[in-house]
Amino acid sequence: MTFDIEALLRPNIRHLKPYTSARDEFQGKAHIYLDANENPFDDTPFHRYPDPHHQDLRQKIASLIDLPPDHIFLGNGSDEAIDLLIRAFCTPGKHTVLTCPPTYGMYEVLAQTHGVDVQQVLLTPDFQLNEPAIRQAVRPSTRLIFLCSPNNPTGNLLSRPSIVRILTAFQGILVVDEAYIDFADAPGLTDLLSTHPNLVILRTFSKAWGLAGLRVGMALARPEIISVLYRIKLPYNLSQATQSYLYTALDRHREVQQHISLIRTERHRLSCALSSLPFVRQIHPSDANFLLVRFSDPQHTYRYLLSCGIVVRDRSRQPLCQGCLRITVGTPAENDQLIQALSDL
Ligand SMILES: *Cc1c(COP(=O)(O)O)cnc(C)c1O
């Protein structure tokens, strides 16, 4: 496939001369920094502007995920990457994005904030991609397709062959959000980046890494796309506090693996315990750190759990999710309390 990223870029972005910060103009090591109007007194660790290119972090992450640093964009949550992708590739009122509900709500919200229309093609009843319907819906104006695998709120992985077929046929950019991939048995789609220049993979430090409050997410793609995201982001999107903290936290990857396997064990235990309850209709198979559970009276169950001090997510008004609550897998003690509360209902 011939892929011309220049042709896909919004004209104003294609011709944009990016802001160059002091840290762009000079990047080496110097004796005295008088280039950025900073306060020279180092009473705090934060008196200098942070690295807008996140060089050290990208280098360290690159070795963890086995991709070169120029394939990695770091944003203020993966939500920032979603926002920038829409900004870069969609002209409001002209181009559209396609999503497959039920799925993560931010694709639609961010498209709408940009005045970009959203085409929706429902997943099939078993929560897989409806390929014929997607093929039929895609138009020349469709610039981005957002898929989520494992999908939120359904919890399942999307079929890889199905994703590859869409990726191969689509002339625009396919974004696969892998926020929950660490909880799945599959390795994710990064191996496809070498053959598919129109693929963007989103990852986040908010879930398996336990850093939701820090706000860091990633877009993984070929350098042509990554460099566009770096050109249009706010220069200092990750604070020095964020960059320093994450740099150190990356050393904890073994503990993160232990948490992941414990959460997977608990997911199985929770699923078995819930399935024996008479008012649980269905527990959807999960490749993520949550369960989508269909109850006979979801509103009643939701309010009852709230009265026990337990808050879950009501997804019962989402398409294909009638009756469903989404329950995050907690600590063993938290899961015990949830199971006890529901057994007493
Ligand atoms: C939680 C979640 C994210 C994470 O977003 P951040 O902005 O990185 O915190 C991304 N995508 C999906 C589908 C999610 O559920």
Side-chain angles (χ1 to χ4, degrees), residues 75-80 82 103-107 148 150-152 177-180 202-207 211-212 215-218 290 326:
N76 184 319
S78 40
D79 290 347
E80 183 185 0
I82 299 168
T103 193
Y104 188 50
M106 285 304 284
Y107 316 132
C148 187
N151 186 40
N152 178 4
D177 187 341
E178 295 188 336
Y180 298 98
L202 301 179
R203 298 269 176 91
T204 180
F205 288 94
S206 299
K207 307 289 156 66
L211 297 170
R215 309 306 303 135
V216 191
M218 299 192 270
F290 56 84
R326 192 194 70 192

Side-chain angles (χ1 to χ4, degrees), residues 180 183 207 259-271 274 283-284 286-293 311-312 326-336 338-339:
Y180 298 98
F183 303 103
K207 307 289 156 66
H259 278 160
I260 291 168
S261 60
L262 181 55
I263 288 169
R264 284 164 51 105
T265 307
E266 283 295 298
R267 175 177 78 197
H268 180 70
R269 184 174 76 92
L270 193 55
S271 172
L274 296 182
I283 300 171
H284 293 282
S286 173
D287 301 296
N289 66 338
F290 56 84
L291 293 172
L292 187 71
V293 183
V311 55
V312 298
R326 192 194 70 192
I327 304 175
T328 306
V329 178
T331 63
E334 289 172 339
N335 302 330
D336 282 342
L338 171 75
I339 294 162

Side-chain angles (χ1 to χ4, degrees), residues 175-223:
V175 184
V176 182
D177 187 341
E178 295 188 336
Y180 298 98
I181 195 67
D182 304 284
F183 303 103
D185 281 322
L189 300 176
T190 48
D191 62 300
L192 295 173
L193 290 173
S194 61
T195 41
H196 294 86
N198 61 333
L199 174 63
V200 177
I201 295 166
L202 301 179
R203 298 269 176 91
T204 180
F205 288 94
S206 299
K207 307 289 156 66
W209 280 87
L211 297 170
L214 196 61
R215 309 306 303 135
V216 191
M218 299 192 270
L220 310 176
R222 296 269 280 266

Side-chain angles (χ1 to χ4, degrees), residues 25-277:
E25 197 178 292
F26 175 80
Q27 283 193 37
K29 282 260 180 288
H31 188 47
I32 299 176
Y33 288 95
L34 302 177
D35 60 342
N37 300 346
E38 296 150 335
N39 188 317
F41 301 105
D42 57 355
D43 298 350
T44 78
F46 304 121
H47 72 123
R48 297 291 181 200
Y49 280 103
D51 174 12
H53 307 287
H54 322 129
Q55 311 266 27
D56 294 343
L57 265 179
R58 289 159 80 198
Q59 193 78 47
K60 196 160 173 179
I61 293 169
S63 61
L64 279 179
I65 62 175
D66 202 22
L67 280 175
D70 64 359
H71 282 54
I72 302 171
F73 167 83
L74 297 180
N76 184 319
S78 40
D79 290 347
E80 183 185 0
I82 299 168
D83 185 72
L84 294 177
L85 287 164
I86 297 169
R87 207 179 279 247
F89 295 106
C90 299
T91 301
K94 182 172 174 191
H95 297 130
T96 61
V97 308
L98 189 150
T99 67
C100 296
T103 193
Y104 188 50
M106 285 304 284
Y107 316 132
E108 184 176 357
V109 170
L110 289 170
Q112 284 170 353
T113 65
H114 288 290
V116 169
D117 283 342
V118 180
Q119 304 174 260
Q120 299 189 317
V121 176
L122 280 194
L123 294 175
T124 59
D126 62 346
F127 300 144
Q128 286 298 326
L129 296 171
N130 186 337
E131 286 184 66
I134 292 173
R135 259 198 307 280
Q136 206 165 32
V138 168
R139 296 180 237 142
S141 63
T142 311
R143 278 297 165 88
L144 295 165
I145 297 178
F146 285 100
L147 305 178
C148 187
S149 177
N151 186 40
N152 178 4
T154 61
N156 61 296
L157 281 166
L158 299 177
S159 141
R160 179 182 165 114
S162 191
I163 293 175
V164 172
R165 280 190 293 271
I166 292 168
L167 186 56
T168 308
F170 186 42
Q171 301 290 310
I173 291 179
L174 179 68
V175 184
V176 182
D177 187 341
E178 295 188 336
Y180 298 98
I181 195 67
D182 304 284
F183 303 103
D185 281 322
L189 300 176
T190 48
D191 62 300
L192 295 173
L193 290 173
S194 61
T195 41
H196 294 86
N198 61 333
L199 174 63
V200 177
I201 295 166
L202 301 179
R203 298 269 176 91
T204 180
F205 288 94
S206 299
K207 307 289 156 66
W209 280 87
L211 297 170
L214 196 61
R215 309 306 303 135
V216 191
M218 299 192 270
L220 310 176
R222 296 269 280 266
E224 307 89 83
I225 292 180
I226 297 301
S227 62
V228 169
L229 300 181
Y230 271 98
R231 250 167 57 207
I232 65 175
K233 75 177 179 69
L234 294 178
Y236 304 112
N237 63 329
L238 296 192
S239 74
Q240 185 60 50
T242 301
Q243 295 194 46
S244 309
Y245 192 94
L246 182 60
Y247 192 83
T248 308
L250 289 172
D251 293 332
R252 294 179 43 239
H253 61 271
R254 274 185 206 85
E255 284 148 81
V256 169
Q257 285 310 319
Q258 281 164 9
H259 278 160
I260 291 168
S261 60
L262 181 55
I263 288 169
R264 284 164 51 105
T265 307
E266 283 295 298
R267 175 177 78 197
H268 180 70
R269 184 174 76 92
L270 193 55
S271 172
C272 293
L274 296 182
S275 65
S276 68
L277 298 169

